Amino acid sequence: MTSTAARSISDAELDEIFTPIYERIAAGAVDRETDRRLAYDEVGWLRTARFGALRVPVEYGGFGAGVRQLFRQLIELAAAESNLPQALRVHWVFVEDQLSAETGPRRDHWLRAVAEGTLVGNAITEPGVGAVDRYRTRLTPDGNGWLLNGVKYYSTGSLYADHILVAADRAGDRVAVLVDANAAGVRQHDDWDGFGQRLTASGTTEFTDVAVHEEQILGPGYGAAGPTYATAYLQLIQLAVLAGIAQRAERDVREWVAQRTRGYTHSAADLPRHDPLVQQIIGRLSAAAFSARATVLAVAELLDEVLAAGVKDEKALVEVELAAAQAQLAVIDTVLPATSELFDVGGASITSERLRLDRHWRNARTVSVHNPAIQKARAIGDHLLNGADLPFAWSAGERTSGASRAATE
């Protein structure tokens, strides 16, 4: 089953639908940051506009957009509110999994549900557990069904979601369980305490004797061994967030400089916007936003091709994973310095809490430490030099280096 829907809508048409919503979302970004107000209303606007159905085929009620088109919209959403693409991160992979699944009632049901506005969050990571083969969240038999018990954190987006995709252990097997976010026994907490991306709803989720029916168990889910499109896809969403942050940072600082009339006695011009050093920083910020965006969309095009051909071509999956990993290093190294350097265009005035320009660096720094770049750089080098497997979403015990694999062949 191919996962790429017919290209039945243009970028211009998507922009016409969603740009007014992004502008409305952006208007409240500073106040939300100041008040730490979760973006429930803003997610509601996106849900009403069926943003979560971008990739759903038209015949199911979606937009039928391609992967590149999706990531183009994610960058724009990130420029309006960087927390929201990250909050919807697992939703997109859930949709992609349905698109690539065999046809049948279950697939049809979820595609139509997403087209009607359903959003999916996640509860995958567990406190103190570093590998996916050691989940303590478990399904246990209960009559004709199951009971789900466990604690998750980094439950990104789940407070905004209708359903939560939970990674659990069932008699030694890893499974993905789709739980109603409002089911009895589900408790969610907004206790994420990072200094950035504070509104991603990435807190703790507790499951206490949550009733689960067999049809809610979707298969092995996150952590299945072998190459997958999902790790590149998930990483690229983070890079889309960084590209959007750079885009907003450049726009915010440019507008601030353009309106500023106070300069320095020793500057090269009377007005900051005429100062060649300030102009240089704005130029570099613009270049950072452009290159980050171009990099994300280039990898998105590769994902488009891989998903159009199905998800069984391991060589293609490895190629797109490598591209996403290389893009990660390039985008982080571009956006982080830019969001720090922006403060050089002004004096102490630019650090005003009223402006909240610090949020751009804090958010970029926080996003950039997901899947640490130092580990990814090493993995790329090991892969290129020694043929070692790239770090897909599997446990360390299932990864096999090129050298050890060759020894067993």
Side-chain angles (χ1 to χ4, degrees), residues 143-157:
N144 294 326
W146 304 84
L147 292 178
L148 178 69
N149 285 277
V151 178
K152 300 283 188 175
Y153 72 163
Y154 296 156
S155 305
T156 305

Side-chain angles (χ1 to χ4, degrees), residues 57-318:
V58 172
E59 58 266 33
Y60 290 97
F63 291 100
V67 176
R68 186 186 186 280
Q69 289 182 298
L70 167 64
F71 277 89
R72 186 175 175 276
Q73 295 301 319
L74 290 178
I75 292 170
E76 295 301 321
L77 176 58
E81 175 54 84
S82 67
N83 292 275
L84 293 184
Q86 184 179 354
L88 297 174
R89 191 168 171 235
V90 169
H91 172 86
W92 302 113
V93 172
F94 173 78
V95 172
E96 241 20 275
D97 282 345
Q98 305 315 303
L99 291 172
S100 62
E102 293 297 325
T103 56
R106 178 182 291 185
R107 176 182 184 271
D108 292 351
H109 167 79
W110 286 114
L111 288 176
R112 290 195 176 94
V114 170
E116 292 169 1
T118 291
L119 296 175
V120 176
N122 89 94
I124 293 172
T125 305
E126 297 193 8
V129 179
V132 296
D133 58 351
R134 295 196 293 273
Y135 286 143
R136 291 176 296 216
T137 298
R138 287 184 164 79
L139 280 175
T140 55
D142 180 52
N144 294 326
W146 304 84
L147 292 178
L148 178 69
N149 285 277
V151 178
K152 300 283 188 175
Y153 72 163
Y154 296 156
S155 305
T156 305
S158 290
L159 280 164
Y160 299 130
D162 304 289
H163 292 84
I164 304 171
L165 193 65
V166 186
D169 178 281
R170 179 176 66 172
D173 293 327
R174 293 191 300 273
V175 293
V177 184
L178 198 61
V179 175
D180 188 319
N182 296 312
V186 177
R187 293 185 63 202
Q188 299 186 73
H189 309 275
D190 179 28
D191 56 0
W192 159 239
D193 64 352
F195 60 64
Q197 294 297 93
R198 294 169 172 170
L199 310 181
T200 54
S202 297
T204 301
T205 307
E206 301 175 64
F207 302 94
T208 305
D209 289 337
V210 179
V212 173
H213 303 293
E214 191 65 34
E215 59 268 23
Q216 294 174 260
I217 302 173
L218 304 184
Y222 186 87
T228 171
Y229 78 92
T231 43
Y233 206 109
L234 289 165
Q235 185 63 64
L236 197 62
I237 293 172
Q238 304 289 47
L239 302 187
V241 172
L242 287 169
I245 289 171
Q247 185 171 305
R248 175 58 60 179
E250 187 273 336
R251 189 180 310 170
D252 285 352
V253 175
R254 174 162 44 87
E255 291 175 355
W256 186 81
V257 169
Q259 297 170 11
R260 186 168 169 80
T261 58
R262 179 174 175 267
Y264 297 101
T265 56
H266 54 286
S267 63
D270 291 335
L271 292 174
R273 68 176 182 272
H274 293 153
D275 188 323
L277 297 177
V278 172
Q279 293 168 353
Q280 185 182 87
I281 291 176
I282 298 299
R284 286 205 291 262
L285 275 169
S286 175
F290 174 84
S291 60
R293 178 188 182 91
T295 300
V296 170
L297 295 181
V299 180
E301 287 183 0
L302 292 178
L303 272 168
D304 238 337
E305 295 171 5
V306 168
L307 291 167
V311 292
K312 302 299 184 184
D313 186 339
E314 290 198 5
K315 181 179 178 182
L317 292 172
V318 170

Side-chain angles (χ1 to χ4, degrees), residues 9-32:
I9 192 165
S10 69
D11 286 334
E13 290 171 314
L14 291 173
D15 289 345
E16 185 176 358
I17 295 168
F18 293 109
T19 297
I21 300 174
Y22 302 151
E23 291 173 350
R24 190 179 174 195
I25 290 172
V30 172
D31 288 341
R32 284 191 301 274

